[in-house]
Amino acid sequence: MTDLLQRATATFQSRFGTPPALIVRAPGRVNLIGEHTDYNDGFVLPMAIDRQVVIALRPRHDGYVAVYSLDFDETVEFSPVEMEDRREGGLWIEYMQGMAWALQEAGHALKGWEGVVGGDVPIGAGLSSSAAIELATARAFAEVSNLPWHPAQMALLAQRAENEWVGVKTGIMDQMISAAGVAGRALLIDCRSLAFEAVPLPPETSVVILDTATRRELVTSAYNERREQCEAAAAFFGVPKLRDVSWPRFEAEQEGLDPVTRRRARHVISENARTEAAAEAMRRGDATELGLLMDASHVSMRDDFEITNDALNMMVAIAQVHPASYGARMTGGGFGGCAVALVRAEQAAQFASDVARGYTAANGLTPAVYVTPAAAGASVMKP
Ligand code: GLA
């Protein structure tokens, strides 16, 4: 049992006097390639990671939900049918209440429960701690209320919670991978149809997360601004989403766009092509090609989409030149947080310590660098 599971179970036992009736979990994620493509109806290639949110719980018969947060040392009790609309911006309980709201909006009758929630996905690092808490909450409600579990449908409701209750206009990637992740695989997700395909990592490779230890404030406004720029570009081409613009068409007509919008569109359109090519490389087991595509993706995010910061560029540069590396790029929403690298498995530990040391030498920050396996999506565990 992991440390987190143990803490959640032991805390449940001491607060409620019995073992939990069940434990649910949902993972964070790291995106291998396909950034800011999801809300353009394009392709993404994330995998679920071995960091997650867990909830130890038991059903309750008065309809109320009471949750103690291990991470915030706070208990909140609420009735899903008469929730106060807090929406104060990012409080942990809002993700849970938002999920309850979205489930009810979809017509599900919810039963109550009580329990303990905890997580080890770093918050604000670009590894989707918010999708993890949303999907763990969805799993908890589904289990106690006997709701059918359809990963894509639950992901859409979680996205709705995040968009409309929490108020962050994210795409569908994070919720989809947290709901539908497959152990040992990344998922190529078509964010228009929500069809997905599990693709294996190339043989003898490891995925390494490189947390720069930088976090960016005001990331929501920068994110929403990128969305608007993409919408403006799609409108210029007269299509619903940038997914519908082919590379040849972009090249032929790009002159009509202003320089900033042109760069944003160039990132999204080229990133979609890179993501499909990356999945193809993975099907062939071609680590070299996958790594090159990751490197190219970083350049595109740095120069065209402009969502990296100095720390991310530094980290990626150090990772890319290491002999164990196939490729590296920033991952997630951007402006701080994490990069991801694909490395030779037998040299992964050496890579992690060398890159961490090189990064500290370069800018004085202490990063977190660790190998992650690809985990399964949201699930129920009996204690
Ligand atoms: C955040 C959002 C996702 C996606 C990424 C960028 O993680 O939650 O929907 O847009 O940024 O790829």
Side-chain angles (χ1 to χ4, degrees):
M1 214 191 252
T2 67
D3 180 47
L4 173 62
L5 273 177
Q6 228 152 22
R7 280 197 302 136
T9 310
T11 307
F12 186 98
Q13 173 82 43
S14 72
R15 296 185 86 89
F16 297 101
T18 66
L22 62 138
I23 299 174
V24 294
R25 57 162 284 283
R29 63 100 188 93
V30 66
N31 190 20
L32 298 180
I33 194 165
E35 222 66 79
H36 287 261
T37 44
D38 61 353
Y39 55 80
N40 291 295
D41 276 4
F43 296 92
V44 293
L45 194 44
M47 63 181 223
I49 60 175
D50 64 350
R51 303 218 169 189
Q52 57 190 352
V53 167
V54 304
I55 308 174
L57 69 141
R58 66 180 181 194
R60 199 168 140 147
H61 299 294
D62 61 1
Y64 275 81
V65 175
V67 203
Y68 171 74
S69 163
L70 280 174
D71 306 305
F72 296 92
D73 186 24
E74 184 188 13
T75 298
V76 176
E77 182 167 301
F78 67 93
S79 157
V81 288
E82 32 186 86
M83 275 184 300
E84 237 180 88
D85 187 351
R86 299 166 50 132
R87 307 193 202 197
E88 282 160 19
L91 294 178
W92 63 275
I93 193 65
E94 288 174 43
Y95 295 93
M96 303 186 106
Q97 293 182 324
M99 198 63 238
W101 169 79
L103 284 162
Q104 292 179 117
E105 287 283 301
H108 295 303
L110 300 185
K111 299 213 164 102
W113 50 273
E114 57 198 357
V116 175
V117 64
D120 58 8
V121 189
I123 293 173
L127 300 176
S128 292
S129 59
S130 56
I133 192 171
E134 287 155 8
L135 269 302
T137 304
R139 260 298 192 189
F141 276 115
E143 215 40 37
V144 300
S145 316
N146 268 317
L147 311 180
W149 184 261
H150 298 301
Q153 282 171 22
M154 287 296 169
L156 283 167
L157 294 179
Q159 184 196 18
R160 185 158 185 218
E162 178 121 9
N163 289 176
E164 293 179 39
W165 187 274
V166 183
V168 186
K169 302 273 175 244
T170 58
I172 191 65
M173 167 169 70
D174 306 343
Q175 290 79 13
M176 267 302 283
I177 187 64
S178 186
V182 176
R185 300 282 187 272
L187 294 190
L188 175 68
I189 303 170
D190 177 335
C191 296
R192 173 164 279 168
S193 66
L194 298 190
F196 57 87
E197 175 195 343
V199 281
L201 288 173
E204 327 268 300
T205 61
S206 293
V207 170
V208 180
I209 292 173
L210 309 117
D211 188 334
T212 61
T214 62
R215 306 285 183 261
R216 156 102 186 223
E217 302 294 311
L218 296 177
V219 64
T220 307
S221 59
Y223 185 92
N224 290 343
E225 182 192 62
R226 295 301 183 285
R227 275 193 86 129
E228 283 158 22
Q229 291 164 333
C230 290
E231 281 158 20
F236 167 83
F237 287 104
V239 293
K241 298 281 181 179
L242 280 180
R243 149 76 174 271
D244 302 303
V245 182
S246 66
W247 183 254
R249 178 159 183 219
F250 172 75
E251 285 205 300
E253 297 174 31
Q254 57 165 316
E255 290 302 324
L257 284 165
D258 72 84
V260 172
T261 313
R262 186 189 314 157
R263 288 204 302 278
R264 303 295 187 255
R266 184 164 58 201
H267 166 71
V268 172
I269 296 164
S270 64
E271 183 82 348
N272 270 328
R274 277 188 294 274
T275 304
E276 288 194 273
E280 186 49 39
M282 288 173 81
R283 292 183 200 107
R284 288 197 312 268
D286 188 342
T288 303
E289 175 68 11
L290 176 58
L292 289 171
L293 290 161
M294 292 169 74
D295 290 350
S297 170
H298 186 80
V299 171
S300 181
M301 292 187 288
R302 185 190 64 201
D303 299 346
D304 280 347
F305 219 60
E306 299 178 282
I307 51 171
T308 65
N309 64 3
D310 291 346
L312 282 164
N313 293 332
M314 174 73 70
M315 181 70 94
V316 166
I318 293 168
Q320 285 174 341
V321 298
H322 193 282
S325 168
Y326 287 107
R329 58 188 283 282
M330 72 135 257
T331 186
F335 307 103
C338 292
V340 60
L342 183 75
V343 307
R344 289 176 175 76
E346 79 278 10
Q347 295 169 45
Q350 187 65 45
F351 170 89
S353 69
D354 290 348
V355 172
R357 198 167 349 96
Y359 180 79
T360 301
N363 69 4
L365 295 174
T366 305
V369 183
Y370 45 92
V371 174
T372 182
S379 62
V380 180
M381 298 177 283
K382 305 290 171 194

